Amino acid sequence: MATKDANQKHYFTPVEDEEKFSMMERACEDKWKVFLWIQGKSDKDVEEFECISFDTENSRLNLKSSGGLLAKIGTSKKAGKEVFMKIGEGKSQYFTYSALTYSKEKKEYFVVLNKDMFKTQQRSNYRLMASRFIKLKFKIDDDHILDGLDVSAGGTSFVINDPEENEKYAKDAEFPDCELHFNGKKFAIPKAKIAAQFPEKDKAGNPTGKMCAGIAFMDLSSRTEEDLFIHINGEARAEEMRKKLAKPKD
């Protein structure tokens, strides 16, 4: 039996149509915000919309720009493109992807929610592992830029390649003004704290003789936390799509 992905079990939960329709009704009644972005673009490129109405029969969610310059000058540059989408309330967040369409006649946008939708309730639990697609670096200072092993909205971890620096990265040690480099984007980390130190293991589960350090991000601004959360989830969805494409077709 294949091992289940712990992140899928505890973080991403597939949403059935009944729950999706009920959630969309609440979203439109309460005018929930919707955030749309295109993978690989700058965090400044995230656009904010508002739920207007939902057509259950066609799974069509009608949107309008939340204001600002975009609402005044016309059509979003994302119109006609596939976008990642986040919508939610409090800690319950829903993610999916679709094509954003603009109706010139009604002067409003819409997306058809016919793709897989997932729900998350604990943003900090999702841990995205480094891979050939996920590139992570953690900058302590100009002389210490370390290869990240994984990343979540709450922290990262790395291998301590020089045993003489094990003490430098002892539990509870703190480092100011750090920076996370994640797939071409940089996130300012005002303070990083060593949450744990543990042995590195190879693929067979055997200790390599080196130690790893787990970092907790501290004092993040709300904007940075949200930007990081959006970026992690965009990359996580891309990972899911890559896994689906890699599976042999029946």
Side-chain angles (χ1 to χ4, degrees), residues 180-200:
L180 174 69
H181 299 190
F182 176 15
N183 278 17
K185 298 182 184 298
K186 296 180 181 180
F187 298 89
I189 310 298
K191 184 190 297 184
K193 182 176 181 178
I194 304 297
Q197 195 178 111
F198 51 93
E200 181 192 30

Side-chain angles (χ1 to χ4, degrees), residues 14-63:
V15 177
E16 301 296 333
D17 284 347
E18 184 177 355
E19 180 181 355
K20 178 171 69 175
F21 296 156
S22 175
M23 181 271 289
M24 293 315 308
E25 288 180 4
R26 298 199 316 274
C28 293
E29 287 177 3
D30 297 338
K31 306 298 182 186
W32 285 7
K33 299 298 183 183
V34 176
F35 298 91
L36 303 180
W37 69 97
I38 296 175
Q39 184 189 3
K41 297 294 184 180
S42 166
D43 294 323
K44 296 179 181 179
D45 192 55
V46 176
E47 290 181 14
E48 183 178 311
F49 292 79
E50 185 178 285
C51 295
I52 300 301
S53 61
F54 184 66
D55 179 351
T56 303
E57 184 176 353
N58 298 303
S59 292
R60 171 172 162 162
L61 174 62
N62 297 309
L63 305 165

Side-chain angles (χ1 to χ4, degrees), residues 54-229:
F54 184 66
D55 179 351
T56 303
E57 184 176 353
N58 298 303
S59 292
R60 171 172 162 162
L61 174 62
N62 297 309
L63 305 165
K64 75 171 183 179
S65 173
S66 290
L69 184 60
L70 175 61
K72 297 177 181 178
I73 64 175
T75 311
S76 165
K77 291 183 179 179
K78 294 179 180 59
K81 299 179 180 178
E82 186 175 87
V83 294
F84 288 104
M85 169 180 167
K86 184 189 81 165
I87 179 173
E89 183 179 49
K91 292 184 178 180
S92 293
Q93 303 289 332
Y94 296 81
F95 296 88
T96 188
Y97 62 99
S98 182
L100 178 65
T101 302
Y102 180 69
S103 171
K104 292 182 179 180
E105 181 181 351
K106 295 185 177 181
K107 294 184 178 180
E108 66 183 24
Y109 301 85
F110 70 87
V111 289
V112 176
L113 303 181
N114 58 358
K115 306 293 186 183
D116 291 339
M117 178 176 282
F118 295 87
K119 176 175 69 174
T120 175
Q121 293 180 308
Q122 294 184 350
R123 66 169 60 186
S124 61
N125 281 356
Y126 189 85
R127 192 160 291 277
L128 190 61
M129 306 304 294
S131 68
R132 66 191 183 100
F133 298 106
I134 306 299
K135 306 298 184 184
L136 299 168
K137 295 279 187 181
F138 192 71
K139 180 180 178 182
I140 299 288
D141 53 45
D142 290 339
D143 297 321
H144 296 84
I145 301 177
L146 307 152
D147 292 324
L149 298 173
D150 53 45
V151 66
S152 75
T156 187
S157 65
F158 55 85
V159 177
I160 306 171
N161 288 311
D162 185 352
E164 293 185 0
E165 293 199 326
N166 286 348
E167 187 175 346
K168 174 183 176 73
Y169 301 115
K171 188 176 183 300
D172 294 329
E174 295 184 357
F175 303 91
D177 302 322
C178 298
E179 194 171 68
L180 174 69
H181 299 190
F182 176 15
N183 278 17
K185 298 182 184 298
K186 296 180 181 180
F187 298 89
I189 310 298
K191 184 190 297 184
K193 182 176 181 178
I194 304 297
Q197 195 178 111
F198 51 93
E200 181 192 30
K201 294 182 180 181
D202 60 23
K203 292 182 179 180
N206 301 313
T208 66
K210 294 182 180 180
M211 298 297 290
C212 299
I215 286 275
F217 299 151
M218 302 180 69
D219 300 338
L220 293 185
S221 68
S222 297
R223 178 62 185 176
T224 298
E225 185 179 18
E226 186 67 24
D227 287 347
L228 181 56
F229 185 48

